[in-house]
PDB file of all heavy atoms in Angstrom:
ATOM      1  N   PHE D 209     111.489 181.462-153.498  1.00  0.00           N
ATOM      2  CA  PHE D 209     111.032 180.229-152.885  1.00  0.00           C
ATOM      3  C   PHE D 209     112.183 179.617-152.065  1.00  0.00           C
ATOM      4  O   PHE D 209     113.316 180.072-152.193  1.00  0.00           O
ATOM      5  CB  PHE D 209     110.534 179.234-153.963  1.00  0.00           C
ATOM      6  CG  PHE D 209     111.587 178.693-154.911  1.00  0.00           C
ATOM      7  CD1 PHE D 209     112.473 177.673-154.559  1.00  0.00           C
ATOM      8  CD2 PHE D 209     111.700 179.300-156.206  1.00  0.00           C
ATOM      9  CE1 PHE D 209     113.431 177.226-155.457  1.00  0.00           C
ATOM     10  CE2 PHE D 209     112.708 178.795-157.131  1.00  0.00           C
ATOM     11  CZ  PHE D 209     113.488 177.737-156.698  1.00  0.00           C
ATOM     12  N   GLU D 210     111.875 178.664-151.297  1.00  0.00           N
ATOM     13  CA  GLU D 210     112.842 178.053-150.342  1.00  0.00           C
ATOM     14  C   GLU D 210     112.948 176.572-150.646  1.00  0.00           C
ATOM     15  O   GLU D 210     111.944 175.806-150.544  1.00  0.00           O
ATOM     16  CB  GLU D 210     112.434 178.256-148.931  1.00  0.00           C
ATOM     17  CG  GLU D 210     113.273 177.537-147.894  1.00  0.00           C
ATOM     18  CD  GLU D 210     112.653 177.610-146.476  1.00  0.00           C
ATOM     19  OE1 GLU D 210     111.433 177.347-146.300  1.00  0.00           O
ATOM     20  OE2 GLU D 210     113.388 177.845-145.526  1.00  0.00           O
ATOM     21  N   ASP D 211     114.146 176.106-151.069  1.00  0.00           N
ATOM     22  CA  ASP D 211     114.402 174.693-151.245  1.00  0.00           C
ATOM     23  C   ASP D 211     114.879 174.140-149.891  1.00  0.00           C
ATOM     24  O   ASP D 211     115.955 174.469-149.420  1.00  0.00           O
ATOM     25  CB  ASP D 211     115.458 174.492-152.326  1.00  0.00           C
ATOM     26  CG  ASP D 211     115.531 173.018-152.788  1.00  0.00           C
ATOM     27  OD1 ASP D 211     115.173 172.133-151.992  1.00  0.00           O
ATOM     28  OD2 ASP D 211     115.919 172.813-153.921  1.00  0.00           O
ATOM     29  N   ARG D 212     114.031 173.296-149.283  1.00  0.00           N
ATOM     30  CA  ARG D 212     114.339 172.772-147.921  1.00  0.00           C
ATOM     31  C   ARG D 212     115.111 171.448-147.936  1.00  0.00           C
ATOM     32  O   ARG D 212     115.284 170.865-146.910  1.00  0.00           O
ATOM     33  CB  ARG D 212     112.994 172.627-147.153  1.00  0.00           C
ATOM     34  CG  ARG D 212     112.237 173.955-146.976  1.00  0.00           C
ATOM     35  CD  ARG D 212     110.929 173.751-146.337  1.00  0.00           C
ATOM     36  NE  ARG D 212     110.969 173.182-144.978  1.00  0.00           N
ATOM     37  CZ  ARG D 212     111.149 173.947-143.832  1.00  0.00           C
ATOM     38  NH1 ARG D 212     111.327 175.240-143.988  1.00  0.00           N
ATOM     39  NH2 ARG D 212     111.152 173.365-142.688  1.00  0.00           N
ATOM     40  N   ARG D 213     115.536 171.031-149.131  1.00  0.00           N
ATOM     41  CA  ARG D 213     116.205 169.707-149.221  1.00  0.00           C
ATOM     42  C   ARG D 213     117.680 169.671-148.904  1.00  0.00           C
ATOM     43  O   ARG D 213     118.152 168.747-148.327  1.00  0.00           O
ATOM     44  CB  ARG D 213     115.923 169.152-150.642  1.00  0.00           C
ATOM     45  CG  ARG D 213     114.422 168.821-150.894  1.00  0.00           C
ATOM     46  CD  ARG D 213     114.175 168.436-152.320  1.00  0.00           C
ATOM     47  NE  ARG D 213     114.502 169.556-153.270  1.00  0.00           N
ATOM     48  CZ  ARG D 213     114.431 169.442-154.561  1.00  0.00           C
ATOM     49  NH1 ARG D 213     114.174 168.264-155.141  1.00  0.00           N
ATOM     50  NH2 ARG D 213     114.718 170.513-155.340  1.00  0.00           N
ATOM     51  N   PRO D 214     118.460 170.688-149.257  1.00  0.00           N
ATOM     52  CA  PRO D 214     119.918 170.624-149.007  1.00  0.00           C
ATOM     53  C   PRO D 214     120.210 170.351-147.521  1.00  0.00           C
ATOM     54  O   PRO D 214     119.551 170.885-146.600  1.00  0.00           O
ATOM     55  CB  PRO D 214     120.446 171.996-149.418  1.00  0.00           C
ATOM     56  CG  PRO D 214     119.435 172.479-150.453  1.00  0.00           C
ATOM     57  CD  PRO D 214     118.136 171.976-149.978  1.00  0.00           C
ATOM     58  N   SER D 215     121.209 169.532-147.224  1.00  0.00           N
ATOM     59  CA  SER D 215     121.590 169.208-145.876  1.00  0.00           C
ATOM     60  C   SER D 215     122.536 170.267-145.345  1.00  0.00           C
ATOM     61  O   SER D 215     123.134 171.039-146.050  1.00  0.00           O
ATOM     62  CB  SER D 215     122.309 167.851-145.845  1.00  0.00           C
ATOM     63  OG  SER D 215     123.517 167.932-146.520  1.00  0.00           O
ATOM     64  N   ALA D 216     122.630 170.251-143.964  1.00  0.00           N
ATOM     65  CA  ALA D 216     123.480 171.289-143.306  1.00  0.00           C
ATOM     66  C   ALA D 216     124.918 171.190-143.738  1.00  0.00           C
ATOM     67  O   ALA D 216     125.634 172.193-143.723  1.00  0.00           O
ATOM     68  CB  ALA D 216     123.335 171.180-141.817  1.00  0.00           C
ATOM     69  N   ASN D 217     125.360 170.029-144.166  1.00  0.00           N
ATOM     70  CA  ASN D 217     126.751 169.814-144.527  1.00  0.00           C
ATOM     71  C   ASN D 217     126.925 169.843-146.031  1.00  0.00           C
ATOM     72  O   ASN D 217     127.925 169.354-146.561  1.00  0.00           O
ATOM     73  CB  ASN D 217     127.308 168.466-143.960  1.00  0.00           C
ATOM     74  CG  ASN D 217     126.574 167.254-144.513  1.00  0.00           C
ATOM     75  OD1 ASN D 217     125.521 167.363-145.115  1.00  0.00           O
ATOM     76  ND2 ASN D 217     127.090 166.071-144.248  1.00  0.00           N
ATOM     77  N   CYS D 218     125.982 170.418-146.799  1.00  0.00           N
ATOM     78  CA  CYS D 218     126.044 170.440-148.200  1.00  0.00           C
ATOM     79  C   CYS D 218     127.185 171.309-148.719  1.00  0.00           C
ATOM     80  O   CYS D 218     127.718 172.139-147.994  1.00  0.00           O
ATOM     81  CB  CYS D 218     124.743 171.016-148.817  1.00  0.00           C
ATOM     82  SG  CYS D 218     124.488 172.783-148.500  1.00  0.00           S
ATOM     83  N   ASP D 219     127.600 171.097-149.937  1.00  0.00           N
ATOM     84  CA  ASP D 219     128.517 171.932-150.682  1.00  0.00           C
ATOM     85  C   ASP D 219     127.652 173.089-151.299  1.00  0.00           C
ATOM     86  O   ASP D 219     126.892 172.809-152.195  1.00  0.00           O
ATOM     87  CB  ASP D 219     129.235 171.196-151.736  1.00  0.00           C
ATOM     88  CG  ASP D 219     130.167 172.049-152.589  1.00  0.00           C
ATOM     89  OD1 ASP D 219     130.083 173.265-152.547  1.00  0.00           O
ATOM     90  OD2 ASP D 219     130.953 171.506-153.342  1.00  0.00           O
ATOM     91  N   PRO D 220     127.779 174.333-150.825  1.00  0.00           N
ATOM     92  CA  PRO D 220     126.937 175.384-151.331  1.00  0.00           C
ATOM     93  C   PRO D 220     127.092 175.633-152.794  1.00  0.00           C
ATOM     94  O   PRO D 220     126.153 176.051-153.494  1.00  0.00           O
ATOM     95  CB  PRO D 220     127.269 176.588-150.477  1.00  0.00           C
ATOM     96  CG  PRO D 220     128.631 176.283-149.931  1.00  0.00           C
ATOM     97  CD  PRO D 220     128.645 174.800-149.792  1.00  0.00           C
ATOM     98  N   TYR D 221     128.255 175.415-153.312  1.00  0.00           N
ATOM     99  CA  TYR D 221     128.494 175.599-154.767  1.00  0.00           C
ATOM    100  C   TYR D 221     127.701 174.597-155.552  1.00  0.00           C
ATOM    101  O   TYR D 221     127.161 174.874-156.645  1.00  0.00           O
ATOM    102  CB  TYR D 221     129.965 175.587-155.097  1.00  0.00           C
ATOM    103  CG  TYR D 221     130.829 176.546-154.316  1.00  0.00           C
ATOM    104  CD1 TYR D 221     131.615 176.194-153.278  1.00  0.00           C
ATOM    105  CD2 TYR D 221     130.733 177.903-154.675  1.00  0.00           C
ATOM    106  CE1 TYR D 221     132.351 177.090-152.570  1.00  0.00           C
ATOM    107  CE2 TYR D 221     131.523 178.845-153.983  1.00  0.00           C
ATOM    108  CZ  TYR D 221     132.352 178.419-152.918  1.00  0.00           C
ATOM    109  OH  TYR D 221     133.048 179.358-152.216  1.00  0.00           O
ATOM    110  N   ALA D 222     127.656 173.361-155.090  1.00  0.00           N
ATOM    111  CA  ALA D 222     126.890 172.258-155.779  1.00  0.00           C
ATOM    112  C   ALA D 222     125.406 172.587-155.758  1.00  0.00           C
ATOM    113  O   ALA D 222     124.729 172.340-156.726  1.00  0.00           O
ATOM    114  CB  ALA D 222     127.170 170.923-155.097  1.00  0.00           C
ATOM    115  N   VAL D 223     124.901 173.133-154.626  1.00  0.00           N
ATOM    116  CA  VAL D 223     123.486 173.482-154.522  1.00  0.00           C
ATOM    117  C   VAL D 223     123.171 174.611-155.519  1.00  0.00           C
ATOM    118  O   VAL D 223     122.184 174.550-156.227  1.00  0.00           O
ATOM    119  CB  VAL D 223     123.148 173.880-153.112  1.00  0.00           C
ATOM    120  CG1 VAL D 223     121.713 174.388-153.015  1.00  0.00           C
ATOM    121  CG2 VAL D 223     123.333 172.689-152.143  1.00  0.00           C
ATOM    122  N   THR D 224     124.039 175.615-155.504  1.00  0.00           N
ATOM    123  CA  THR D 224     123.802 176.774-156.440  1.00  0.00           C
ATOM    124  C   THR D 224     123.831 176.245-157.900  1.00  0.00           C
ATOM    125  O   THR D 224     122.973 176.632-158.681  1.00  0.00           O
ATOM    126  CB  THR D 224     124.904 177.830-156.275  1.00  0.00           C
ATOM    127  OG1 THR D 224     124.898 178.274-154.867  1.00  0.00           O
ATOM    128  CG2 THR D 224     124.696 179.014-157.192  1.00  0.00           C
ATOM    129  N   GLN D 225     124.827 175.374-158.161  1.00  0.00           N
ATOM    130  CA  GLN D 225     124.906 174.862-159.567  1.00  0.00           C
ATOM    131  C   GLN D 225     123.624 174.127-159.951  1.00  0.00           C
ATOM    132  O   GLN D 225     123.098 174.307-161.052  1.00  0.00           O
ATOM    133  CB  GLN D 225     126.126 173.906-159.669  1.00  0.00           C
ATOM    134  CG  GLN D 225     126.190 173.231-160.993  1.00  0.00           C
ATOM    135  CD  GLN D 225     127.343 172.242-161.135  1.00  0.00           C
ATOM    136  OE1 GLN D 225     128.015 172.173-162.194  1.00  0.00           O
ATOM    137  NE2 GLN D 225     127.677 171.539-160.060  1.00  0.00           N
ATOM    138  N   ALA D 226     123.140 173.282-159.107  1.00  0.00           N
ATOM    139  CA  ALA D 226     121.974 172.431-159.411  1.00  0.00           C
ATOM    140  C   ALA D 226     120.756 173.336-159.701  1.00  0.00           C
ATOM    141  O   ALA D 226     120.027 173.108-160.632  1.00  0.00           O
ATOM    142  CB  ALA D 226     121.659 171.461-158.278  1.00  0.00           C
ATOM    143  N   LEU D 227     120.536 174.335-158.869  1.00  0.00           N
ATOM    144  CA  LEU D 227     119.406 175.248-159.009  1.00  0.00           C
ATOM    145  C   LEU D 227     119.501 176.047-160.311  1.00  0.00           C
ATOM    146  O   LEU D 227     118.565 176.190-161.047  1.00  0.00           O
ATOM    147  CB  LEU D 227     119.262 176.220-157.816  1.00  0.00           C
ATOM    148  CG  LEU D 227     118.761 175.598-156.531  1.00  0.00           C
ATOM    149  CD1 LEU D 227     119.000 176.504-155.341  1.00  0.00           C
ATOM    150  CD2 LEU D 227     117.295 175.322-156.676  1.00  0.00           C
ATOM    151  N   ILE D 228     120.738 176.556-160.644  1.00  0.00           N
ATOM    152  CA  ILE D 228     120.922 177.271-161.862  1.00  0.00           C
ATOM    153  C   ILE D 228     120.707 176.406-163.084  1.00  0.00           C
ATOM    154  O   ILE D 228     120.000 176.782-164.015  1.00  0.00           O
ATOM    155  CB  ILE D 228     122.358 177.890-161.908  1.00  0.00           C
ATOM    156  CG1 ILE D 228     122.594 178.874-160.763  1.00  0.00           C
ATOM    157  CG2 ILE D 228     122.612 178.518-163.305  1.00  0.00           C
ATOM    158  CD1 ILE D 228     121.747 180.115-160.770  1.00  0.00           C
ATOM    159  N   ARG D 229     121.223 175.192-163.066  1.00  0.00           N
ATOM    160  CA  ARG D 229     121.089 174.273-164.188  1.00  0.00           C
ATOM    161  C   ARG D 229     119.609 174.012-164.486  1.00  0.00           C
ATOM    162  O   ARG D 229     119.118 174.016-165.648  1.00  0.00           O
ATOM    163  CB  ARG D 229     121.855 172.974-163.947  1.00  0.00           C
ATOM    164  CG  ARG D 229     123.324 173.085-164.139  1.00  0.00           C
ATOM    165  CD  ARG D 229     123.953 171.734-163.814  1.00  0.00           C
ATOM    166  NE  ARG D 229     125.437 171.729-164.042  1.00  0.00           N
ATOM    167  CZ  ARG D 229     126.053 171.521-165.162  1.00  0.00           C
ATOM    168  NH1 ARG D 229     125.293 171.195-166.237  1.00  0.00           N
ATOM    169  NH2 ARG D 229     127.351 171.497-165.282  1.00  0.00           N
ATOM    170  N   THR D 230     118.840 173.686-163.420  1.00  0.00           N
ATOM    171  CA  THR D 230     117.482 173.282-163.612  1.00  0.00           C
ATOM    172  C   THR D 230     116.535 174.479-163.877  1.00  0.00           C
ATOM    173  O   THR D 230     115.714 174.475-164.771  1.00  0.00           O
ATOM    174  CB  THR D 230     116.992 172.482-162.405  1.00  0.00           C
ATOM    175  OG1 THR D 230     117.835 171.398-162.172  1.00  0.00           O
ATOM    176  CG2 THR D 230     115.503 172.040-162.542  1.00  0.00           C
ATOM    177  N   CYS D 231     116.705 175.572-163.043  1.00  0.00           N
ATOM    178  CA  CYS D 231     115.735 176.679-163.106  1.00  0.00           C
ATOM    179  C   CYS D 231     116.061 177.662-164.240  1.00  0.00           C
ATOM    180  O   CYS D 231     115.133 178.175-164.883  1.00  0.00           O
ATOM    181  CB  CYS D 231     115.779 177.427-161.810  1.00  0.00           C
ATOM    182  SG  CYS D 231     115.140 176.465-160.440  1.00  0.00           S
ATOM    183  N   LEU D 232     117.346 177.905-164.543  1.00  0.00           N
ATOM    184  CA  LEU D 232     117.705 178.975-165.485  1.00  0.00           C
ATOM    185  C   LEU D 232     118.176 178.367-166.843  1.00  0.00           C
ATOM    186  O   LEU D 232     117.908 179.039-167.850  1.00  0.00           O
ATOM    187  CB  LEU D 232     118.759 179.871-164.874  1.00  0.00           C
ATOM    188  CG  LEU D 232     118.386 180.610-163.634  1.00  0.00           C
ATOM    189  CD1 LEU D 232     119.452 181.607-163.237  1.00  0.00           C
ATOM    190  CD2 LEU D 232     117.042 181.254-163.709  1.00  0.00           C
ATOM    191  N   LEU D 233     118.802 177.245-166.766  1.00  0.00           N
ATOM    192  CA  LEU D 233     119.306 176.645-168.068  1.00  0.00           C
ATOM    193  C   LEU D 233     118.329 175.571-168.598  1.00  0.00           C
ATOM    194  O   LEU D 233     118.616 175.027-169.682  1.00  0.00           O
ATOM    195  CB  LEU D 233     120.715 176.020-167.873  1.00  0.00           C
ATOM    196  CG  LEU D 233     121.797 177.001-167.394  1.00  0.00           C
ATOM    197  CD1 LEU D 233     123.063 176.254-167.140  1.00  0.00           C
ATOM    198  CD2 LEU D 233     121.979 178.145-168.376  1.00  0.00           C
ATOM    199  N   ASP D 234     117.231 175.376-167.918  1.00  0.00           N
ATOM    200  CA  ASP D 234     116.160 174.486-168.346  1.00  0.00           C
ATOM    201  C   ASP D 234     116.688 173.055-168.605  1.00  0.00           C
ATOM    202  O   ASP D 234     116.188 172.394-169.536  1.00  0.00           O
ATOM    203  CB  ASP D 234     115.446 175.005-169.602  1.00  0.00           C
ATOM    204  CG  ASP D 234     114.780 176.384-169.284  1.00  0.00           C
ATOM    205  OD1 ASP D 234     114.368 176.553-168.120  1.00  0.00           O
ATOM    206  OD2 ASP D 234     114.639 177.202-170.210  1.00  0.00           O
ATOM    207  N   GLU D 235     117.644 172.611-167.870  1.00  0.00           N
ATOM    208  CA  GLU D 235     118.171 171.294-168.072  1.00  0.00           C
ATOM    209  C   GLU D 235     117.155 170.262-167.581  1.00  0.00           C
ATOM    210  O   GLU D 235     116.358 170.519-166.643  1.00  0.00           O
ATOM    211  CB  GLU D 235     119.471 171.066-167.325  1.00  0.00           C
ATOM    212  CG  GLU D 235     120.674 171.754-167.938  1.00  0.00           C
ATOM    213  CD  GLU D 235     121.964 171.350-167.203  1.00  0.00           C
ATOM    214  OE1 GLU D 235     122.016 170.341-166.491  1.00  0.00           O
ATOM    215  OE2 GLU D 235     122.958 172.106-167.348  1.00  0.00           O
ATOM    216  N   GLU D 236     117.146 169.079-168.214  1.00  0.00           N
ATOM    217  CA  GLU D 236     116.265 167.968-167.764  1.00  0.00           C
ATOM    218  C   GLU D 236     117.105 166.710-167.656  1.00  0.00           C
ATOM    219  O   GLU D 236     118.214 166.656-168.091  1.00  0.00           O
ATOM    220  CB  GLU D 236     115.155 167.801-168.826  1.00  0.00           C
ATOM    221  CG  GLU D 236     114.178 168.970-168.852  1.00  0.00           C
ATOM    222  CD  GLU D 236     113.108 168.815-169.947  1.00  0.00           C
ATOM    223  OE1 GLU D 236     113.237 167.864-170.742  1.00  0.00           O
ATOM    224  OE2 GLU D 236     112.200 169.640-169.983  1.00  0.00           O
ATOM    225  N   GLY D 237     116.490 165.686-167.032  1.00  0.00           N
ATOM    226  CA  GLY D 237     117.193 164.437-166.944  1.00  0.00           C
ATOM    227  C   GLY D 237     117.991 164.239-165.673  1.00  0.00           C
ATOM    228  O   GLY D 237     118.163 165.178-164.885  1.00  0.00           O
ATOM    229  N   GLU D 238     118.558 163.042-165.522  1.00  0.00           N
ATOM    230  CA  GLU D 238     119.245 162.639-164.276  1.00  0.00           C
ATOM    231  C   GLU D 238     120.679 163.245-164.183  1.00  0.00           C
ATOM    232  O   GLU D 238     121.241 163.226-163.100  1.00  0.00           O
ATOM    233  CB  GLU D 238     119.293 161.147-164.176  1.00  0.00           C
ATOM    234  CG  GLU D 238     117.888 160.526-164.043  1.00  0.00           C
ATOM    235  CD  GLU D 238     117.301 160.726-162.670  1.00  0.00           C
ATOM    236  OE1 GLU D 238     117.906 160.361-161.674  1.00  0.00           O
ATOM    237  OE2 GLU D 238     116.162 161.278-162.603  1.00  0.00           O
ATOM    238  N   GLU D 239     121.233 163.602-165.303  1.00  0.00           N
ATOM    239  CA  GLU D 239     122.648 164.017-165.290  1.00  0.00           C
ATOM    240  C   GLU D 239     122.788 165.484-165.741  1.00  0.00           C
ATOM    241  O   GLU D 239     121.998 165.972-166.577  1.00  0.00           O
ATOM    242  CB  GLU D 239     123.495 163.145-166.257  1.00  0.00           C
ATOM    243  CG  GLU D 239     123.523 161.650-165.825  1.00  0.00           C
ATOM    244  CD  GLU D 239     124.169 161.470-164.448  1.00  0.00           C
ATOM    245  OE1 GLU D 239     125.083 162.269-164.088  1.00  0.00           O
ATOM    246  OE2 GLU D 239     123.713 160.557-163.712  1.00  0.00           O
ATOM    247  N   PRO D 240     123.805 166.201-165.198  1.00  0.00           N
ATOM    248  CA  PRO D 240     124.068 167.573-165.662  1.00  0.00           C
ATOM    249  C   PRO D 240     124.519 167.579-167.127  1.00  0.00           C
ATOM    250  O   PRO D 240     125.184 166.616-167.584  1.00  0.00           O
ATOM    251  CB  PRO D 240     125.160 168.071-164.742  1.00  0.00           C
ATOM    252  CG  PRO D 240     125.768 166.835-164.177  1.00  0.00           C
ATOM    253  CD  PRO D 240     124.758 165.813-164.158  1.00  0.00           C
ATOM    254  N   VAL D 241     124.136 168.631-167.831  1.00  0.00           N
ATOM    255  CA  VAL D 241     124.520 168.707-169.239  1.00  0.00           C
ATOM    256  C   VAL D 241     125.956 169.244-169.392  1.00  0.00           C
ATOM    257  O   VAL D 241     126.381 170.080-168.572  1.00  0.00           O
ATOM    258  CB  VAL D 241     123.583 169.696-169.982  1.00  0.00           C
ATOM    259  CG1 VAL D 241     124.020 169.978-171.413  1.00  0.00           C
ATOM    260  CG2 VAL D 241     122.129 169.178-169.925  1.00  0.00           C
ATOM    261  N   GLU D 242     126.742 168.704-170.288  1.00  0.00           N
ATOM    262  CA  GLU D 242     128.100 169.189-170.549  1.00  0.00           C
ATOM    263  C   GLU D 242     127.964 170.326-171.602  1.00  0.00           C
ATOM    264  O   GLU D 242     127.369 170.180-172.648  1.00  0.00           O
ATOM    265  CB  GLU D 242     128.963 168.062-171.196  1.00  0.00           C
ATOM    266  CG  GLU D 242     129.253 166.908-170.136  1.00  0.00           C
ATOM    267  CD  GLU D 242     130.328 167.337-169.107  1.00  0.00           C
ATOM    268  OE1 GLU D 242     131.093 168.281-169.412  1.00  0.00           O
ATOM    269  OE2 GLU D 242     130.345 166.702-168.045  1.00  0.00           O
TER     270      GLU D 242
END
Side-chain angles (χ1 to χ4, degrees):
F209 68 82
E210 174 191 44
D211 194 334
R212 296 174 65 84
R213 296 171 295 174
S215 67
N217 63 348
C218 69
D219 175 347
Y221 302 105
V223 173
T224 302
Q225 175 183 215
L227 285 167
I228 297 296
R229 282 178 178 274
T230 303
C231 295
L232 302 189
L233 300 177
D234 297 332
E235 287 188 17
E236 295 175 350
E238 295 287 304
E239 296 300 326
V241 175
E242 292 285 337

